[in-house]
Amino acid sequence: MTRLSAIRTAMIACFALALSACGINSVPEKQEAAKAAWANVQSAYQRRADLVPNLVASVKAAAQSETTILTNVTNARARATSINVTTDDLSNPAEFKKFQDAQNQLTQALGQLRTVVENYPQLQSQARFADLMTALEGSENRIDTARVRYNEAVQDYNTTIRTFPDAIGAKLIHGAKPMVPFEASAGAQNAPNVNFGDMGAQPAPAPAMPGANDNATATPSATATSATN
């Protein structure tokens, strides 16, 4: 009887080992790791989105004529925050692309804002604005890090569910589907340059507003002629 019990225990152990080798545990473990990485991506993007309203308000106070750029940033933020990708959507390429495209649009809009800020050095000298820029730069770095780690977790999970023997449990038991990683598009994968030079430098005189200086609209040929005279 003791020998029979030992054989039974050994068989159970072998069966459990076989199940484990077939992805019973490894597949959900790696899936949860990828989902946790995705939560960090969402948190990083939300942190950036939370900074945008204060950033727009600071720029608007000093650059009231730049309404188009500011509106673009505001609208891009609205689109980015309106698309919510759940963990169930991580295997849906179409939904994931909508999310990524919306976030890329906000990234590009913030990049356009850089050009506006460079024309208003008095804005760069404000401590509040400098703090917002530092926070925004930190958010962009967090987004980049979170996306890289998410892609690594997705690669690990996708490899697991496609390779033997884990693929057996992944397909027959878990019904696992590949998750979608972030894909770099032309320029969109790079964080916008929000370092706007030396924030502590002595601010230069503010540029004249449109219409305040007739020479601002002079053609290059007219300017050159004036210089030779």
Side-chain angles (χ1 to χ4, degrees):
M1 191 68 179
T2 303
R3 183 178 180 183
L4 181 60
S5 298
I7 294 175
R8 183 179 299 169
T9 301
M11 291 179 64
I12 293 174
C14 290
F15 182 71
L17 182 61
L19 287 178
S20 177
C22 290
I24 299 300
N25 294 325
S26 60
V27 170
E29 286 174 357
K30 294 184 178 183
Q31 183 183 51
E32 291 304 316
K35 289 180 178 180
W38 173 249
N40 292 334
V41 171
Q42 289 182 308
S43 177
Y45 274 125
Q46 185 61 53
R47 186 176 187 270
R48 179 177 72 170
D50 291 342
L51 290 170
V52 170
N54 288 334
L55 175 63
V56 170
S58 297
V59 176
K60 188 175 182 179
Q64 297 181 6
S65 62
E66 307 294 347
T67 56
T68 300
I69 296 297
L70 296 175
T71 300
N72 288 343
V73 173
T74 301
N75 291 342
R77 177 190 182 273
R79 286 191 296 270
T81 55
S82 68
I83 299 177
N84 181 29
V85 173
T86 66
T87 53
D88 293 334
D89 294 326
L90 296 180
S91 297
N92 187 330
E95 290 300 318
F96 195 89
K97 186 177 186 303
K98 289 179 183 179
F99 176 86
Q100 183 173 0
D101 287 346
Q103 295 296 341
N104 285 344
Q105 288 174 10
L106 178 54
T107 298
Q108 293 167 4
L110 288 171
Q112 293 173 355
L113 192 62
R114 175 179 179 272
T115 303
V116 173
V117 173
E118 288 178 341
N119 293 329
Y120 295 87
Q122 78 279 15
L123 175 61
Q124 299 180 34
S125 67
Q126 295 178 10
R128 172 60 176 163
F129 180 78
D131 290 342
L132 286 171
M133 289 300 98
T134 300
L136 182 61
E137 184 176 10
S139 292
E140 294 291 352
N141 290 335
R142 290 189 183 192
I143 289 171
D144 181 63
T145 300
R147 283 170 49 137
V148 169
R149 291 176 178 172
Y150 167 76
N151 277 1
E152 290 173 349
V154 167
Q155 180 184 21
D156 187 30
Y157 169 75
N158 288 348
T159 300
T160 298
I161 67 174
R162 292 181 59 190
T163 54
F164 182 84
D166 295 310
I168 298 175
K171 183 176 182 179
L172 299 180
I173 298 176
H174 298 296
K177 297 179 180 179
M179 290 184 177
V180 184
F182 279 99
E183 296 181 357
S185 54
Q189 76 277 13
N190 299 321
N193 182 5
V194 293
N195 190 20
F196 305 136
D198 184 5
M199 291 296 184
Q202 184 68 24
M209 296 299 292
N213 187 348
D214 293 337
N215 291 331
T217 58
T219 62
S221 59
T223 303
T225 303
S226 177
T228 56
N229 292 335

